[in-house]
């Protein structure tokens, strides 16, 4: 079946599907995408086209319109019509040029409007929690705490269960089993293959508190970054507003739910308990009440999350994903980073230990970014950090600090721009995903301070060429030449699902792409109706892509895919 045939078949399917109103995910969606509006064309009626025109076209259009007006003015017409054949040809060429530009602009308007409409449809869909909503769980006593899962430099994490936090029926197969009598499980070692973690659907992170004091306000204030991925009901209502610096202030910016970002279900302060292994593994951070030589405070912050079976690092120690899975994993990280970036958050400590992993019901790894202890959030979402003295923290994990962060020297007007730093780290982590050593790790590794791009080792030959290109572009030293997480994610989406729409790019290129987008939208909506089984990770990714569609970012991705590293050509075609 040819691409054209496939697209028209997809459109037909989508249209008839919409018409018979079978869309579970929304009669509203169906109404929005009524068959006639589901075409690239008349759908632009409701959209103000001017807003979507790239500056370049606005300029051309204004100047060419002016020129056309002049050409059509009586004086010009007299001069040219009565003039030589050569002058008449010039006049014709001008006219033709204006016509072509207008046509191009019209197509752009239509493509931009298509993107807008698709985005609006997919943006509405909220991420569903895999747990039933619960109203309690603000006290440590509400949980049964099992074995230790992991430990970092700031916290320890235990598996946990709570009677109120049952999984939803639909999630049962892929995540958890009933909360049975779990007491005997507590003593068994944690292993992703045993049912221990399935009986403990939750994970509780206990932060170590040395300096924050023991009042809830002081703890919440000093550990506030950890609350960035917490949901709207995570804190008890009265804690939503805490006294900060003697004034009433709100807690930091919090990000909305995303399939590739951890969700903190509950956050509360409590007295530090003596948990299994505490005396042996972290005696120094215990309070004097539990260890006379311990230096920890009496109370601390607890975060309740979903329990994941692996970190990315643990998973990669025992398994090497195939090329498609690897591409999907890199793409998930980019989607997660883009989501954070759009909400004004830079993680600043991305590494394979801070990425959790589970499987969807089709066996595809789902990656989730966690541990926001080092993140940057700002009220204005600018991600521009004034770096005026050496005490300003640049974030965690020096090995994976982007060049613009690691090379910044403090000074009165110095600002570090974090908008593309997490995307850079994803470029480095891509090596690990494809079974290679991270090029920035180890004594013999490269240093982000001074590496040259040509020193980057090639990814294995089996890695898809587009993924290799994405990793290379993400590791560009100059952030202005580095694609954003969104553009890099778009590249992988096009590579995974839309490569054919890019073949034989000509003047009809954007139209072909718009047709593909509509076709893809129909497919994703249809998939949404068939329930939660199957490749949920792929479906989530496609939804993420469609709900963030922007013509300019799509063009940038197309430009990179078609012209690779040749930025100048890519910019001319797709500014
Ligand atoms: N939700 C979870 N499910 C399963 N395991 C988890 C979860 N959260 C954390 N872990 C495990 O606990 C370890 C430590 O957690 P985390 O990275 O949040 O602690 P940290 O002290 O803040 O880390 P860092 O040293 O990077 O600052 C992780 O590497 C992981 O192995």
């Amino acid at each position: 079946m040819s691409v054209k045939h496939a697209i028209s078949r997809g459109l037909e399917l989508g249209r008839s599907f919409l018409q018979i109103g079978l869309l579970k995910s929304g009669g509203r969606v169906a109404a929005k995408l009524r068959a006639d509006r589901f075409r690239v064309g008349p759908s632009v009626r409701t959209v103000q086209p001017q807003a979507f025109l790239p500056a370049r076209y606005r300029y051309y259009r204004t100047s060419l319109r002016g020129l056309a007006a002049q050409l059509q003015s009586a004086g010009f017409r007299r001069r040219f019509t009565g003039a030589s054949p050569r002058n008449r040809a010039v006049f014709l060429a001008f006219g033709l040029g204006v016509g072509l530009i207008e046509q191009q602009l019209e197509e752009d308007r239509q493509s931009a409007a298509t993107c807008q409409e698709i985005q609006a449809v997919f943006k509405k869909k909220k991420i569903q929690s895999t747990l039933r909503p619960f109203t309690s769980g603000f006290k440590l006593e509400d949980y049964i705490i099992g074995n230790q899962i992991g430990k970092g430099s700031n916290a320890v994490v235990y598996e946990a269960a709570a009677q109120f936090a049952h999984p939803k029926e639909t999630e049962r197969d892929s995540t958890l089993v009933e909360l049975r009598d779990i007491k005997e499980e507590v003593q068994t070692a944690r292993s992703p293959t045993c049912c221990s973690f399935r009986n403990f659907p939750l994970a509780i992170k206990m932060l170590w508190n040395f300096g924050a004091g023991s009042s809830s306000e002081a703890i919440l204030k000093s550990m506030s970054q950890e609350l960035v991925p917490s949901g709207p009901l995570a804190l008890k209502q009265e804690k939503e507003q805490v006294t900060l610096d003697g004034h009433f202030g709100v807690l930091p910016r919090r990000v909305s739910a995303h399939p590739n970002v951890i969700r903190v279900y509950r956050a509360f302060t409590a007295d530090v308990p003596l948990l299994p292994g505490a005396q042996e593994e972290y005696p120094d951070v215990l309070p004097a009440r539990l260890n006379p030589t311990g230096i920890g405070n009496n109370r601390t912050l607890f975060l309740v999350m979903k329990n994941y079976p692996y970190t990315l690092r643990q998973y990669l120690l025992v398994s090497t994903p195939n090329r498609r899975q690897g591409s999907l994993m890199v793409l998930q990280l980019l989607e997660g980073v883009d989501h954070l970036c759009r909400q004004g958050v830079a993680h600043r400590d991305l590494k394979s230990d801070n990425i959790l992993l589970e499987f969807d019901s089709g066996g595809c790894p789902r990656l989730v970014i966690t541990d926001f202890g080092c993140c940057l959030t700002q009220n204005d979402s600018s991600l521009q950090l004034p770096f005026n003295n050496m005490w300003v923290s640049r974030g965690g994990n020096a090995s994976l600090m982007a060049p613009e962060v690691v090379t910044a020297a403090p000074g009165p007007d110095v600002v570090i721009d974090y908008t593309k730093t997490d995307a850079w780290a994803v470029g480095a982590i891509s090596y690990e995903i494809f079974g290679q050593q991270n090029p920035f790790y180890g004594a013999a590794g490269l240093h982000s301070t001074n590496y040259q791009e040509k020193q980057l080792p090639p990814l294995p030959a089996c890695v898809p060429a587009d993924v290799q290109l994405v990793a290379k572009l993400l590791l560009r030293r100059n952030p202005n030449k580095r694609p954003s997480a969104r553009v890099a994610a778009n590249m992988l989406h096009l590579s995974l699902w839309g490569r054919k729409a890019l073949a034989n790019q000509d003047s009809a290129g954007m139209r072909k792409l718009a047709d593909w987008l509509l076709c893809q939208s129909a497919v994703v909506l249809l998939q949404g109706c068939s329930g939660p089984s199957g490749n949920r990770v792929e479906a989530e990714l496609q939804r993420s892509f469609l709900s963030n569609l922007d013509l300019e970012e799509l063009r940038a991705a197309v430009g990179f895919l078609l012209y690779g590293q040749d930025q100048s050509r890519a910019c001319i075609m797709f500014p």
Side-chain angles (χ1 to χ4, degrees):
M1 189 162 57
S2 69
V3 185
K4 208 171 153 194
H5 188 202
I7 288 173
S8 60
R9 184 91 187 90
L11 285 173
E12 227 170 74
L13 252 173
R15 227 175 286 137
S16 48
F17 197 80
L18 292 167
Q19 274 166 351
I20 49 178
L22 277 178
L23 277 183
K24 246 201 265 165
S25 58
R28 276 167 296 140
V29 172
K32 176 112 185 98
L33 291 179
R34 276 267 167 263
D36 59 334
R37 292 170 59 84
F38 209 60
R39 285 177 186 284
V40 194
S43 62
V44 290
R45 270 194 306 270
T46 51
V47 184
Q48 284 301 315
Q50 189 70 23
F52 306 114
L53 292 181
R56 187 181 66 144
Y57 287 137
R58 280 204 290 272
Y59 169 74
Y60 283 165
R61 188 171 76 164
T62 321
S63 34
L64 278 165
R65 277 220 171 122
L67 200 59
Q70 283 182 49
L71 284 168
Q72 280 166 6
S73 75
F76 261 82
R77 234 179 294 141
R78 255 200 315 278
R79 234 180 105 194
F80 277 106
T81 44
S84 66
R86 193 173 141 263
N87 282 349
R88 274 204 299 279
V90 170
F91 176 69
L92 212 69
F94 265 127
L96 219 72
V98 173
L100 283 177
I101 292 277
E102 284 292 343
Q103 189 187 336
Q104 174 73 56
L105 286 169
E106 182 55 24
E107 273 169 20
D108 273 11
R109 275 195 294 268
Q110 291 176 358
S111 307
T114 307
C115 289
Q116 279 272 316
E117 293 201 347
I118 293 174
Q119 192 192 87
V121 168
F122 285 94
K123 265 235 147 62
K124 279 190 187 149
K125 187 92 179 145
K126 288 254 165 6
I127 309 293
Q128 300 282 316
S129 162
T130 51
L131 292 180
R132 287 194 199 131
F134 50 94
T135 49
S136 49
F138 295 102
K139 301 192 301 291
L140 202 52
E141 299 77 56
D142 290 336
Y143 301 89
I144 299 163
I145 296 183
N147 290 309
Q148 192 189 115
I149 302 174
K151 191 156 54 78
S153 45
N154 297 298
V156 61
V157 181
Y158 285 84
E159 55 189 11
Q163 207 55 50
F164 49 78
H166 274 283
K168 286 179 183 164
E169 288 298 321
T170 49
E171 297 296 322
R172 211 156 272 240
D173 56 348
S174 58
T175 50
L176 324 157
V177 293
E178 290 261 355
L179 284 176
R180 294 190 226 105
D181 180 9
I182 52 176
K183 285 199 183 95
E184 75 264 25
E185 292 280 357
V186 174
Q187 297 312 316
T188 62
R190 172 188 164 84
S191 148
T193 52
C194 80
C195 61
S196 171
F197 90 89
R198 303 213 269 158
N199 283 339
F200 289 95
L202 302 172
I204 289 196
K205 176 172 178 175
M206 179 173 78
L207 277 294
W208 291 329
N209 177 6
F210 312 111
S214 279
S215 78
S216 289
E217 285 72 21
I219 293 170
L220 287 173
K221 185 188 169 191
S222 85
M223 300 175 184
S224 65
Q225 286 144 302
E226 298 277 355
L227 301 173
V228 165
S230 60
L233 302 174
L235 280 161
K236 249 191 160 158
Q237 217 63 76
E238 61 263 29
K239 295 271 185 280
E240 276 292 324
Q241 278 224 314
V242 294
T243 311
L244 301 179
D245 292 329
H247 306 287
F248 270 99
V250 282
L251 289 166
R253 171 183 297 280
R254 283 186 268 171
V255 293
S256 58
H258 186 276
N260 304 117
V261 176
I262 189 80
R263 202 74 184 141
V264 170
Y265 299 131
R266 287 286 181 269
F268 54 86
T269 58
D271 285 350
V272 176
L274 195 62
L275 294 172
Q279 298 279 20
E280 301 78 42
E281 294 199 41
Y282 50 93
D284 300 340
V285 297
L286 293 173
R289 167 173 57 83
L290 300 173
N291 173 18
T293 59
I295 54 162
N297 282 310
N298 212 22
R299 273 178 98 74
T300 193
L301 180 66
F302 293 81
L303 305 176
V304 181
M305 310 162 264
K306 180 173 175 179
N307 183 3
Y308 288 82
Y310 294 99
T311 63
L312 176 61
R313 196 174 73 81
Q314 288 165 341
Y315 174 71
L316 293 173
L317 284 175
V318 295
S319 173
T320 307
N322 63 32
R323 35 187 281 145
R324 185 168 180 87
Q325 281 184 348
S327 309
L328 291 169
M329 287 161 84
V330 176
L331 177 53
Q332 290 176 67
L333 292 182
L334 289 169
E335 284 293 351
V337 166
D338 173 58
H339 181 73
L340 297 177
C341 202
R342 279 169 192 273
Q343 309 221 350
V345 175
H347 185 279
R348 305 202 298 179
D349 195 16
L350 272 188
K351 55 184 178 185
S352 51
D353 288 304
N354 283 342
I355 297 163
L356 300 169
L357 186 147
E358 64 176 349
F359 301 97
D360 73 2
S361 38
C364 180
R366 177 188 286 115
L367 300 189
V368 175
I369 297 170
T370 191
D371 189 4
F372 282 71
C374 292
C375 75
L376 175 72
T377 54
Q378 289 170 313
N379 288 338
D380 65 358
S381 310
S382 67
L383 296 183
Q384 312 289 314
L385 178 72
F387 191 45
N388 33 33
N389 67 66
M390 60 183 287
W391 307 114
V392 174
S393 166
R394 302 175 209 230
N397 189 15
S399 316
L400 292 191
M401 257 179 206
E404 64 270 28
V405 180
V406 82
T407 58
D413 297 319
V414 178
V415 165
I416 305 180
D417 181 354
Y418 280 91
T419 46
K420 292 185 184 170
T421 55
D422 288 341
W424 183 90
V426 173
I429 296 169
S430 306
Y431 281 84
E432 297 175 58
I433 290 177
F434 287 103
Q436 302 282 100
Q437 158 96 349
N438 187 315
F440 296 92
Y441 283 168
L446 301 174
H447 295 285
S448 59
T449 340
N450 57 9
Y451 75 99
Q452 291 173 18
E453 286 162 28
K454 60 176 187 256
Q455 291 178 298
L456 288 167
L459 279 161
C462 62
V463 177
D466 290 341
V467 180
Q468 302 208 24
L469 174 65
V470 167
K472 216 172 196 164
L473 292 170
L474 288 174
L475 288 173
R476 279 185 160 167
R477 292 194 66 88
N478 182 347
N480 297 327
K481 294 189 173 171
R482 191 185 306 151
S484 64
R486 180 70 263 149
V487 170
N490 287 351
M491 289 174 71
L492 292 186
H493 278 282
L494 287 165
S495 169
L496 281 159
W497 293 288
R499 221 21 175 127
K500 282 185 182 164
L502 296 186
N504 308 321
Q505 277 291 312
D506 49 20
S507 56
M510 263 343 266
R511 219 175 328 135
K512 245 167 46 184
L513 212 59
D515 280 350
W516 171 74
L517 288 172
L518 289 169
C519 189
Q520 193 71 355
S521 307
V523 169
V524 173
L525 287 173
L526 286 165
Q527 275 169 351
C529 299
S530 60
S533 61
N535 291 330
R536 292 193 55 181
V537 165
E538 293 200 21
E540 285 160 6
L541 283 169
Q542 288 166 344
R543 277 183 177 278
S544 253
F545 169 64
L546 294 168
S547 63
N548 288 306
L549 268 188
D550 171 272
L551 186 62
E552 288 304 293
E553 286 168 332
L554 199 61
R555 273 181 203 279
V558 173
F560 278 124
L561 282 174
L562 292 180
Y563 300 106
Q565 307 240 55
D566 188 351
Q567 179 103 12
S568 51
R569 277 197 80 188
C571 282
I572 290 167
M573 284 298 291
F574 302 98

